[in-house]
Amino acid sequence: MKFKFTYLLVALLLQYSFYGQKLNTDSLLVVTNKLINIEKNYSKAIELGRVGIKNAPNYLDFHIALGRAFKFTNEIDSARYYFNHVIAKNTKYKEAFSYLTQLEIETKNFNNASFVIDKAIATHPEEKDFYILKLRVVSMENNDKKTLNYLNVLTNKYPTDKNIKDQIFDLKLKSNSDRIGINHNLTTFDRAGVGPWNLTSFQYVRQRKLITLIGRINYTNRASFGQTISSGTLYEAESYLRLTKKTYSFLNVGLGNDNVFPKLRLNYSLYSSLGKRWENEIGIRYNKTINNENYSAVLGFGKYIGAGWLNLRSYFQLDQKKPYPSLSSTYRYYFNSRFDYFSINVGFGTSPDERETIAQFEQRVSLNSFRIGTGYNKVFLKKLLFGVQIGFNRQEYEINSYQNELNTSLQLQYQF
């Protein structure tokens, strides 16, 4: 029915033109745009657009319509010609600048896109959309530092724009970094003859846009009544790999001393963006000792909320009669960068990601555990990264018997 109405109207318009009467150019433009926007009949829109230009050559809206129609039919040179014609004739047509810039962005023609948008801003300095469009052009260079500098210009110009601030935050999270560091964790117990436990880790981190590689050596020493009762080393290699624009993966491989660490540790997670700054995680954890193997499934969700990040994660045992779920929640509030943040976490149950207690995972997993902790990380002198975390764990060590554990962790990294 829509097609019949459109073609009937076109026929009437052409009939008026045939008999020498004045052509209603506005009506013809309405029909042309309807063919483009609603009916997607671009060839017919091009035909009518040319009729409109023939009858009203100075009616530049027909040139814009033709430019759009040719763009949709992938006739790029023709689309570019009509948009440029409008800009040359009358720079008041803001949409011509927008359409042409987007055309150059989509065809990855950085130089033309930059020239057009800079001219648009010079002609219409009050137009916010042009500054936002320029951000897309700047981002085409894949230069995070340059993009961040322009985002800072935008946030000074539009200080209340939350979307700009979110983009600054996201970009800072993804910037390149090389770091070496040391972390020491001390666990004390309120039960006689248990502890303290010391865990020291040395690591190297190489972070790039598409991949982050981490090498880590962990050494632990556990005491009872002032005497060392066990010690061991765990060697780990980790990677975070960007797979697509919306997915990335985490892989951890560890080889350890079976006395206090698993002989083999394999961890994998796949993270997917769900839009609106949501992401989900699905993964598996595997730990092998001399006598046992343990498999755990992981399901998690994360959400960036302004300058904060909230994460909910659950673990389920796959190789036991009961799933023995473990739940944890972490919130971070970021300040100036991804290395400057305050964090708080709460949890229930024992997870296979806890290096401090991984040797007792099989004993603890079926027992109750209630945790709460907080931390603060800060960058000093643009190179030194300092962090402190304190956590309290109410741990059941046998049925209906509990001990209190206090974890204190200090971290120092050098960024270069």
Side-chain angles (χ1 to χ4, degrees), residues 169 173 179 183 203 304 307-309 330-345 374-379 385-389 409 411 413:
F169 173 72
L173 285 179
R179 309 187 300 276
N183 183 87
Q203 69 178 12
Y304 288 99
W309 174 72
T330 301
Y331 177 77
R332 290 181 180 178
Y333 183 84
Y334 292 90
F335 300 101
N336 298 316
S337 74
R338 70 183 188 278
F339 302 122
D340 293 274
Y341 62 86
F342 166 79
S343 66
I344 185 169
N345 60 83
T374 187
Y376 181 72
N377 285 53
K378 177 68 177 175
V379 178
L385 285 59
F386 174 77
V388 57
Q389 287 82 37
S409 178
Q411 173 184 272
Q413 293 187 15

Side-chain angles (χ1 to χ4, degrees), residues 39 52 64 105 155 198 222 255 308 358 367 395 414:
E39 299 183 14
I64 289 179
I105 290 173
T155 197
N198 289 276
R222 296 175 178 174
L255 298 173
I358 191 64
L367 300 171
Q395 178 67 51
Y414 176 73

